[in-house]
Amino acid sequence: MALTGNAFLAMWHDIDPAAQNNYMEWHTREHMPERLSIPGFLIGKRLINHGFDRYRYGTIYTGENVEVFRSPAYLERLNNPTDWSLEVQPAFRNFLRVACERIASAGLGNGGGLATVRLSYVDGGNEEKLRAGAQSLADTLLKITGVCNAHVGVARTEVSDVKTKETELRPEMNESAFDAVVIAEGSGLPELEAVVSDIEATVNASDCGIGAPKTLVYNLAYQLTAEDMRQG
């Protein structure tokens, strides 16, 4: 499957236009290699959609488990940003970052496009109900034309809300949190955009107690794995 490990850290944000080129170089050449060298980090994916006015950029890191995202090794990096990070981080805007425990997956491989669907509990939904229906939801999403893998995660804000030096560098934002997230990878951006209504309808029709979907579809801009780091 494309997202190995039992957890993922999902981020959405914008960058001050004047800093976009510097951000891309920093993220490729320093930031993702740094993150993928942390024990327990497995895969990093940078996402982009130039058509968005908000949340143009996204990043997903997968981890062996959700505790990786508040491990001493990770917090040490967050509290000791590099000089380049100190330069880039203040350019972040509309920053939303949430750790998730992956509770269901279906499918294989990597897609050229990726859809993120942020969801809230509705109609008395809760984590128990979500867990009970998550695998069925992932299996059903995989049947949608163009989808090559699907994942369901439950938000673990107590993990990702830890305050660090890096969070102090970003302008204060009041972004809406969520209870769960669905990730679907597919053939490409246009193919996934064409089936957003099918993805959302499948989520809404599931017996998971989640709804109010907020879907964003991205191109995969860059991917790096821990295995790449070992071989490099």
Side-chain angles (χ1 to χ4, degrees), residues 6-8 66 99-104 127 131 152-156:
N6 294 314
F8 55 88
V66 75
C100 296
E101 179 186 351
R102 183 169 61 82
I103 58 175
E127 184 176 331
R131 285 181 177 276
V152 182
V154 58
R156 290 283 177 251

Side-chain angles (χ1 to χ4, degrees), residues 92-103:
F92 277 68
R93 303 289 184 268
N94 308 322
F95 190 77
L96 175 59
R97 171 183 175 273
V98 178
C100 296
E101 179 186 351
R102 183 169 61 82
I103 58 175

Side-chain angles (χ1 to χ4, degrees), residues 4 35 37 47 66 81 98 102 120 122 137 162 165 168 178 217 227-228 231:
T4 56
R35 294 304 192 245
S37 70
L47 314 172
V66 75
V98 178
R102 183 169 61 82
S120 300
V122 296
L137 172 57
V162 176
K165 179 65 175 180
E168 294 173 359
F178 55 84
V217 182
E227 185 62 27
D228 294 332
Q231 293 180 354

Side-chain angles (χ1 to χ4, degrees), residues 38-39 41 66-77 159:
I38 297 171
F41 274 68
V66 75
E67 290 300 322
V68 166
F69 303 127
R70 61 177 174 188
S71 67
Y74 183 38
L75 293 179
E76 192 277 334
R77 300 289 179 87
V159 172

Side-chain angles (χ1 to χ4, degrees), residues 24-76:
M24 297 286 275
E25 288 295 291
W26 164 78
H27 206 263
T28 299
R29 300 182 187 279
E30 180 183 271
H31 192 65
M32 287 188 76
E34 179 192 72
R35 294 304 192 245
L36 269 298
S37 70
I38 297 171
F41 274 68
L42 301 174
I43 297 173
K45 292 175 179 281
R46 183 171 72 244
L47 314 172
I48 191 167
N49 188 324
H50 289 288
F52 288 163
D53 293 325
R54 188 177 183 83
Y55 294 145
R56 175 175 292 191
Y57 300 97
T59 305
I60 294 175
Y61 292 111
T62 69
E64 292 176 352
N65 55 65
V66 75
E67 290 300 322
V68 166
F69 303 127
R70 61 177 174 188
S71 67
Y74 183 38
L75 293 179
E76 192 277 334

Side-chain angles (χ1 to χ4, degrees), residues 12 49 52 54-55 114-119 181-184 192-193 195-201 203-204 211-218:
W12 300 262
N49 188 324
F52 288 163
R54 188 177 183 83
Y55 294 145
L114 188 150
T116 65
V117 189
R118 303 194 308 277
L119 298 150
V181 63
V182 163
I183 293 174
L192 282 177
E193 286 181 331
V195 296
V196 164
S197 60
D198 296 325
I199 292 172
E200 292 186 344
V203 171
N204 287 332
K214 296 179 180 179
T215 305
L216 296 170
V217 182
Y218 294 95

